[in-house]
Structure formats: structure tokens, C-alpha cells
């Protein structure tokens, strides 16, 4: 008789907005949350370097289907640049590669900021996850190789100077997908003729999530002790989860009946009804009684599902 496979975890669905501590990698953070919640599946929306702290949205269960929408959202970082040294990793973790006794003036820094806003070209750091001929750039860099990484287009909504001293400056940036804040620090240091690297980095927002939704790891660890894991009691932890649809703010919502929801879950298109319903939308989500049914598109007044969600 065939043996029944062991369950790998709970089928729990939702978003957990972790305040990742500095010193912990994003993969380790996801593993920790997956274990705490005894979740069957988990993933994150946007890697944070181990040196960095702050918002790391973690998707559990079916929420992983909505990760791309969060990955594409705007992000806000607050970061400190130390002047006078350029480092191999463009942050504190790497050895010094260039140094200078020159220091910028506050006026020079402020005059530079417009060059780093709008749609600009940026070269990712040598120590980054960019693939070069199938290999990660950071793997090649750790082997001592210097590789040519092509510049790419990024979008910076704003870059503000928060505080300044001759040796360091604190900035806040709102930027789009693919932006490397370490590259911003490196390039500003070069433009100012003094070199620079990231000394502190914190991500404060990942659209559409808000700072007041952040949860610190100690609070989760404490909640994890309140229930009986063996008996499946995770109520104290589950209180911290946000609904999957929280990640879909900004997308058109199509409200459907229970009968239409059943057809959608079978992969069938349905007619979009209602005065405010979209006639065309390349991306939309269907809901029944306020619950997420499917992701899809609206074409010629029909909602066509692409990814469906369990009840």
C-alpha cells in the first residue's frame, strides 16, 4: 500500500508586512516566517540586503500569486551615505576600493539631486543579483571577477536631502522597480569627486503597503508561543495577516455573483455588470462578497480569468 505523504504545512493565505531587522537576509526572513506560521508556501516581494532593515512584504499561500503586483510598486528608502570611501559592495560590507580626503558642501549635494530624479540610466553594483551569461553578478564578484554590467533605465520619483554633515548625508528616495540605492550612493560620490557608500539603509514603504502595517519579528515570535502548535492553534499569529486583496490596490475590482464566481473558478469568462464596471482593463480582479476570486483582464465587457483563488 502506498504511503501517504506528510503535509508540508498549513494552507494559510495572506500578506505579512515584516519589519526585517538589519543583519538578516531576505531568504532567511521568509524561512523564519514560514516556520512560525507553519505555512505550506511563502515568498517575498522585493529583496532587502542583509545590511538593510525595514519593510519586507511576505506572501503566504495564495498571496504568492499577487507578488508581481507588489514587485512593480513604488518603494521608499531612507539611507545614509558616508563620504570619502568607495567600497567593493557599495555598502559597509565590502573592502575599500577608492578613498578621498575631499568632502562635498551641502550646496553641491543639493545641486546634484535633480540629476537623480525622473527616468535615468543606472549601472547596478558588481555585487548584485543581475545575471551575466547565466551567472549572478555577486557570484562572479566573490570569485574576484570584474564584469561589465549594462546600464538600465530606472525611475526615481523624488530624492530628498534629509540631513547633512561634511562626512555623511541622509537621503529619502521614492523609486520604481529595479533601482539600486547602493548605486545612487556610489554615483553621487563619484559626481561629487569624494566617493561614497551606503552606511545605513532602511525601506519604509512598498506600495500599496503602509508603515503602520509593519510587524517586528519579536512580536511575531511572542505570538508564536501563545498557541499550541501541535494542536494547530496559530490564532495569535494569524491576527497579523492582511487579506490577499490588499496587494491589489489600484487595480479595477469587478464584483460578481456567487454563480459567476463559480464559473470563473472553472476558468470561464463572465459578463461584467454594473454601472461603474470597466469595459476594458488589461489587469483586474474579481470579487464575490468582498473576497478575491481571480486575477484576470476585462475585454469587451467580459472578465477573463488568468489566475483563480480557492474559497
Amino acid at each position: 500500500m502506498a504511503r501517504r505523504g506528510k503535509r508540508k504545512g498549513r494552507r494559510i493565505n495572506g500578506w505579512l508586512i515584516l519589519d526585517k531587522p538589519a543583519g538578516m537576509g531576505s531568504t532567511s526572513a521568509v524561512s523564519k516566517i514560514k516556520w512560525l506560521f507553519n505555512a505550506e508556501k511563502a515568498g517575498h516581494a522585493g529583496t532587502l540586503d542583509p545590511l538593510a532593515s525595514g519593510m519586507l512584504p511576505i506572501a503566504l499561500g495564495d498571496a504568492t500569486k499577487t507578488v508581481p503586483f507588489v514587485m512593480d510598486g513604488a518603494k521608499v528608502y531612507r539611507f545614509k551615505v558616508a563620504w570619502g570611501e568607495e567600497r567593493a559592495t557599495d555598502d559597509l560590507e565590502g573592502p575599500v576600493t577608492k578613498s578621498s580626503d575631499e568632502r562635498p558642501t551641502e550646496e553641491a549635494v543639493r545641486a546634484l539631486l535633480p540629476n537623480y530624479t525622473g527616468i535615468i540610466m543606472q549601472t547596478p553594483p558588481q555585487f548584485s543579483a543581475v545575471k551575466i551569461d547565466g551567472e549572478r553578478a555577486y557570484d562572479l564578484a566573490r570569485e574576484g571577477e570584474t564584469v561589465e554590467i549594462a546600464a538600465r533605465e530606472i525611475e526615481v520619483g523624488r530624492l530628498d536631502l534629509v540631513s547633512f554633515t561634511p562626512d555623511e548625508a541622509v537621503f529619502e528616495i521614492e523609486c520604481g522597480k529595479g533601482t539600486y540605492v547602493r548605486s545612487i550612493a556610489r554615483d553621487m560620490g563619484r559626481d561629487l569627486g569624494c566617493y561614497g557608500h551606503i552606511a545605513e539603509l532602511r525601506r519604509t514603504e512598498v506600495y500599496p503597503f503602509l508603515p503602520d502595517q509593519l510587524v517586528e519579528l519579536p512580536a511575531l515570535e511572542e505570538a508564536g508561543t501563545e498557541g499550541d502548535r501541535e494542536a494547530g492553534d496559530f490564532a495569535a499569529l494569524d491576527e497579523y495577516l492582511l487579506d490577499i486583496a490588499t496587494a491589489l490596490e489600484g487595480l479595477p475590482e469587478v464584483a460578481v455573483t456567487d454563480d459567476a464566481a463559480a464559473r470563473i473558478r472553472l476558468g470561464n469568462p463572465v459578463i461584467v455588470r454594473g454601472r461603474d464596471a470597466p469595459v476594458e482593463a488589461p489587469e483586474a480582479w474579481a470579487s464575490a462578497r468582498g473576497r478575491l476570486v481571480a486575477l484576470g483582464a476585462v475585454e469587451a465587457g467580459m472578465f477573463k480569468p488568468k489566475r483563480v483563488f480557492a474559497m
Side-chain angles (χ1 to χ4, degrees):
M1 184 173 67
R3 296 177 64 184
R4 180 177 295 177
K6 184 179 178 181
R7 284 195 63 182
K8 296 182 179 179
R10 295 193 301 152
R11 291 184 177 177
I12 183 72
N13 305 308
W15 280 95
L16 187 283
I17 314 306
L18 179 68
D19 189 345
K20 186 190 81 66
M24 173 180 273
S26 295
T27 301
S28 296
V30 172
S31 296
K32 177 73 172 181
I33 297 305
K34 185 179 180 183
W35 178 83
L36 277 172
F37 282 82
N38 190 28
E40 187 177 45
K41 186 191 303 183
H44 66 75
T47 300
L48 269 180
D49 293 337
L51 176 72
S53 67
M55 187 177 287
L56 182 67
I58 296 178
L60 300 181
D62 274 357
T64 56
K65 297 176 182 178
T66 63
V67 163
F69 298 98
V70 180
M71 292 283 285
D72 289 342
K75 299 169 181 64
V76 178
Y77 297 86
R78 182 164 288 214
F79 62 102
K80 180 187 291 184
V81 178
W83 307 119
E85 292 179 345
E86 188 168 304
R87 295 178 175 241
T89 56
D90 299 317
D91 61 21
L92 280 174
E93 294 188 323
V96 176
T97 56
K98 298 175 184 177
S99 62
S100 172
D101 293 329
E102 296 293 324
R103 294 294 183 270
T105 64
E106 181 174 348
E107 292 74 22
V109 172
R110 290 190 182 279
L112 189 63
L113 298 184
N115 295 350
Y116 288 87
T117 55
I119 297 175
I120 63 174
M121 299 300 292
Q122 181 186 80
T123 302
Q126 289 284 312
F127 283 81
S128 64
V130 174
K131 283 193 174 182
I132 308 293
D133 296 329
E135 304 245 15
R136 296 290 186 186
Y138 54 64
D139 289 330
L140 298 172
R142 289 186 186 119
E143 294 170 3
E145 292 189 42
T146 300
V147 295
E148 290 292 326
I149 303 178
R152 56 192 58 195
E153 192 176 88
I154 62 165
E155 184 172 4
V156 176
R158 62 180 175 88
L159 177 60
D160 301 323
L161 179 63
V162 177
S163 65
F164 177 87
T165 70
D167 291 320
E168 60 187 30
V170 176
F171 301 88
E172 188 169 271
I173 187 172
E174 182 177 347
C175 54
K177 181 180 179 181
T179 301
Y180 282 92
V181 181
R182 285 180 290 144
S183 292
I184 297 280
R186 176 201 67 204
D187 293 344
M188 284 197 298
R190 291 176 180 178
D191 287 346
L192 293 164
C194 63
Y195 303 120
H197 63 274
I198 292 286
E200 292 178 12
L201 176 62
R202 179 170 177 79
R203 187 159 67 194
T204 58
E205 291 185 47
V206 178
Y207 182 82
F209 303 115
L210 301 171
D212 62 6
Q213 294 170 325
L214 282 167
V215 185
E216 294 183 349
L217 188 56
L220 293 168
E221 291 173 328
E222 182 178 349
T225 65
E226 294 182 19
D228 185 344
R229 293 181 65 89
E230 294 301 320
D233 180 8
F234 293 85
L237 277 168
D238 292 349
E239 287 283 331
Y240 287 104
L241 290 180
L242 302 178
D243 189 84
I244 298 175
T246 310
L248 304 177
E249 184 177 317
L251 289 186
E253 179 184 359
V254 178
V256 299
T257 64
D258 289 344
D259 287 343
R263 294 198 298 275
I264 288 172
R265 287 195 171 98
L266 293 174
N268 298 315
V270 298
I271 297 174
V272 174
R273 303 184 186 280
R275 184 180 61 184
D276 299 324
V279 177
E280 298 284 340
E283 293 177 335
W285 62 286
S287 66
R289 302 188 186 186
R291 294 180 62 85
L292 176 62
V293 175
L295 293 168
V298 180
E299 299 174 5
M302 300 282 289
F303 178 83
K304 299 183 177 180
K306 295 179 182 177
R307 305 201 75 173
V308 299
F309 293 77
M311 292 291 289

